[in-house]
Each structure stands twice: as C-alpha cells, then as structure tokens.
Amino acid sequence: MTAQVTRKQMRTVFAETVIESLATDPRVVMLTADISSWFFWEVKKDFPDRVHNFGIREQAMIDIAGGFALAGQRPVVHTYAPFLVERPFEQIKIGLGHQDVGAVLVSVGASYDDPSWGRTHQAPGDVALLDTLPGWTVHVPGHEDEVAPLLSKAIAGDNRVYVRLSERANSEAVPVSEKFTVLRRGKAGVVLAVGPVLDQVLAATATADVTVLYASTIRPFDHAGLREAVAAAAPNVVLVDPYLRGTSAFEVTEALGDVPHRLRSFGTWRDREARVYGTPEEHDRLFGVDAESLADSIARFVG
C-alpha cells in the first residue's frame, strides 16, 4: 500500500516559516489581529517583544507595523484579507506607502474560502485595491509548498509585499518564480492561471490547443513572458484569477500595447454582489470559474 501523505494548510506553513524567521532574523516582528494568533503563543515566550496580538484593531496594527519598519524592523502582519487590506487601507496607503517603508502582509480567507461567515469575510477586491498603490509585490501561491519560498524571500527583503494565502490548493506545486511558468504550449491562445485556480484551468483546457501559463507572483506582472507566449500563439488571452475579474487586464494592455489581441477575463463578479453563501465550490460555479464552465467559455472564446 502507498502511504497517504497528509497535506498542510497554507496557513500552517506560513506560521512555521515565520516562527523559523523569528529565531534566525532579529529584525522580524509578528503582528496578528486575533486570527491565527494561537500559532505564535509558544514562540512569544521566547520573543515577547517581537510577537504581538492587537485584537480587532487592524488600523492600529498597520500603523504600528509602519513604526516598526521605520525603526529598522521587518514586520509581518496577518489576518483575514478584508481586515488586512480593506479595513485599514488608509493606514496601508499612508503608514506604509507614503512613509516608503516595507512590511509583509499575509492574508487568509481569499475571495470566498469561508463563505459561511458571510460577506464580511470575503475580499475579492484586495489585489485590485493594492493596485492603486505603487511599489507592492503580490504573491498568490497555489499550493502549500509554494508558500515557504515565497514568504522567506519576502521576509528577507525590505519592500512591501502582499502574500494572499488560500484554504484551497492545487493538487501539485509549481516551482516558484517571478516569471510566468509555461505548463502547456498550444496555438489557439494563451491562458494565464493565477495561484489556486490552476487545477480547474488545467482540467478545462485538457483538450484545448492553448498555451497555459501559471503565476504564483502576479505583481510585478511578467510582461515579457506574456509577450513571448502570445508571439507563439494566436493573440487570444484568457485571464483566470482567484479574485476580482479583470484585475490584471490593464497589465495585459501594457504588455501587449503594440500587439493586436483579444482578452477575456474570469474571476469574481465586478458588477454585482453574491448575496448567498453555500460552499466555495458553489461560488466557483456561480462565478463561472469551475472547470466545466471554464472549458465551455474558453472553447467558445478561442474558437
């Protein structure tokens, strides 16, 4: 019999990586807002001045992170995506961005990982919101094995980084890269899968003559990689994002500004709100990003 491998959640890998960093890098400080704070109870005994829980005071947490950064520390800040990006957005804009200091923001919950909690715990617009600010690197790992290398590099740096974790993951990891990874090559178009939507994209395009690209780092956007892929295929580009539909459409336009092309984007709705909850898989079907819906839509788009 083949032994069954127990997979870790991305959030667990995140906590393990930060705990290791606390022990090896004296710059690192860990800031939580109740969510996941239990991961750090034990390590706080060793580093009481570098592990802090602020309760549901997310705006204060971001401003304090900015203060730590100004003092030469490397703050890692964590909670659910809507409480990390949307609620304290002004503090992100001013306390980090305008001060021109770095931090690593690590979210969970994604767009609708926990739909039973309702709209308060959903943040499909988080990456689009950060796109209004300069200087952010955005990682969207699609598998737990992609988390540690992305996060370790982020912690070792000094820039502004957003790591968008999910409770959902692809069946296999892809080696992390700041460039798009080519998983399949075809002639009818190019499909870009971001993070944890890769499995359904691969299933949807199993019989399609398309190039499939994968991104676990979506900002900066790999303009050169997209241009290269489009040059070898029909100029039909499909974006499949695990967040707000069309978030990277402007990046595609920048990359292909001198190349006539067609673009179709998939993700959560932009023009209306889902007011029912159910399961993440039901949300996939609602938004048309399940494998069956994507297969039909992509086939009709690329012809």
Side-chain angles (χ1 to χ4, degrees), residues 190-192 221 237-241 246 248-249 252 263-267:
V190 177
V191 182
L192 173 61
F221 190 91
V237 180
V238 177
L239 292 176
V240 186
D241 289 321
S248 290
V252 174
L263 172 63
R264 181 74 188 276
S265 298
F266 296 93

Side-chain angles (χ1 to χ4, degrees), residues 148-279:
L150 289 170
L151 183 58
S152 295
K153 183 177 180 180
I155 292 173
D158 58 10
N159 58 332
R160 292 182 290 280
V161 183
Y162 180 50
V163 183
R164 191 184 205 259
L165 304 183
S166 178
E167 300 292 322
R168 309 167 74 192
N170 301 315
S171 56
E172 296 183 8
V174 177
V176 300
S177 172
E178 292 186 359
K179 305 298 183 182
F180 297 157
T181 300
V182 181
L183 299 181
R184 289 180 185 158
R185 292 193 182 275
K187 294 295 186 180
V190 177
V191 182
L192 173 61
V194 179
V197 299
L198 178 60
D199 275 3
Q200 53 257 51
V201 168
L202 290 176
T205 59
T207 60
D209 183 25
V210 296
T211 293
V212 176
L213 305 178
Y214 173 72
S216 56
T217 297
I218 196 63
R219 298 291 182 275
F221 190 91
D222 183 11
H223 290 191
L226 180 63
R227 288 182 65 91
E228 181 180 349
V230 168
N236 301 315
V237 180
V238 177
L239 292 176
V240 186
D241 289 321
Y243 35 74
L244 198 66
R245 184 177 64 201
T247 296
S248 290
F250 76 99
E251 294 284 1
V252 174
T253 300
E254 289 293 306
L256 304 177
D258 60 342
V259 179
H261 63 278
R262 300 166 66 233
L263 172 63
R264 181 74 188 276
S265 298
F266 296 93
T268 62
W269 292 332
R270 301 183 71 92
D271 56 349
R272 59 195 186 280
E273 184 175 306
R275 298 183 181 275
V276 292
Y277 301 133
T279 67

Side-chain angles (χ1 to χ4, degrees), residues 7-301:
R7 294 178 58 175
K8 295 180 180 179
Q9 287 191 326
M10 291 188 193
R11 193 187 329 196
T12 300
V13 178
F14 146 70
E16 292 173 347
T17 304
V18 173
I19 289 169
E20 181 179 344
S21 296
L22 284 163
T24 57
D25 186 346
R27 299 185 311 145
V28 176
V29 290
M30 182 67 227
L31 287 67
T32 59
D34 278 353
I35 303 299
S36 304
S37 61
W38 51 88
F39 282 114
F40 305 101
W41 288 346
E42 287 301 315
V43 75
K44 183 174 175 62
K45 297 175 183 177
D46 297 323
F47 305 106
D49 296 331
R50 294 200 284 131
V51 178
H52 305 276
N53 180 42
F54 293 91
I56 52 173
R57 300 176 181 87
E58 293 87 356
Q59 293 98 328
M61 179 172 67
I62 294 295
D63 269 343
I64 291 169
F68 275 122
L70 284 168
Q73 301 293 101
R74 184 59 166 162
V76 180
V77 192
H78 171 75
T79 186
Y80 261 75
F83 312 140
L84 185 64
V85 177
E86 295 174 330
R87 180 175 293 172
F89 182 70
E90 181 182 5
Q91 286 71 36
I92 291 173
K93 181 178 71 174
I94 303 300
L96 297 176
H98 190 61
Q99 298 275 21
D100 198 20
V101 293
V104 183
L105 309 187
V106 184
S107 72
V108 291
S111 294
Y112 46 81
D113 278 0
D114 292 314
S116 62
W117 289 100
R119 189 68 173 91
T120 58
H121 284 61
Q122 300 174 13
D126 54 348
V127 176
L129 196 56
L130 287 176
D131 271 344
T132 66
L133 303 176
W136 281 90
T137 295
V138 178
H139 300 308
V140 188
H143 187 279
E144 61 272 17
D145 290 349
E146 298 167 17
V147 174
L150 289 170
L151 183 58
S152 295
K153 183 177 180 180
I155 292 173
D158 58 10
N159 58 332
R160 292 182 290 280
V161 183
Y162 180 50
V163 183
R164 191 184 205 259
L165 304 183
S166 178
E167 300 292 322
R168 309 167 74 192
N170 301 315
S171 56
E172 296 183 8
V174 177
V176 300
S177 172
E178 292 186 359
K179 305 298 183 182
F180 297 157
T181 300
V182 181
L183 299 181
R184 289 180 185 158
R185 292 193 182 275
K187 294 295 186 180
V190 177
V191 182
L192 173 61
V194 179
V197 299
L198 178 60
D199 275 3
Q200 53 257 51
V201 168
L202 290 176
T205 59
T207 60
D209 183 25
V210 296
T211 293
V212 176
L213 305 178
Y214 173 72
S216 56
T217 297
I218 196 63
R219 298 291 182 275
F221 190 91
D222 183 11
H223 290 191
L226 180 63
R227 288 182 65 91
E228 181 180 349
V230 168
N236 301 315
V237 180
V238 177
L239 292 176
V240 186
D241 289 321
Y243 35 74
L244 198 66
R245 184 177 64 201
T247 296
S248 290
F250 76 99
E251 294 284 1
V252 174
T253 300
E254 289 293 306
L256 304 177
D258 60 342
V259 179
H261 63 278
R262 300 166 66 233
L263 172 63
R264 181 74 188 276
S265 298
F266 296 93
T268 62
W269 292 332
R270 301 183 71 92
D271 56 349
R272 59 195 186 280
E273 184 175 306
R275 298 183 181 275
V276 292
Y277 301 133
T279 67
E281 292 74 21
E282 288 171 327
H283 279 250
D284 284 349
R285 290 192 292 273
L286 181 68
F287 296 124
V289 294
D290 62 298
E292 184 177 357
S293 299
L294 284 173
D296 179 65
S297 297
I298 292 172
R300 286 188 285 109
F301 177 68

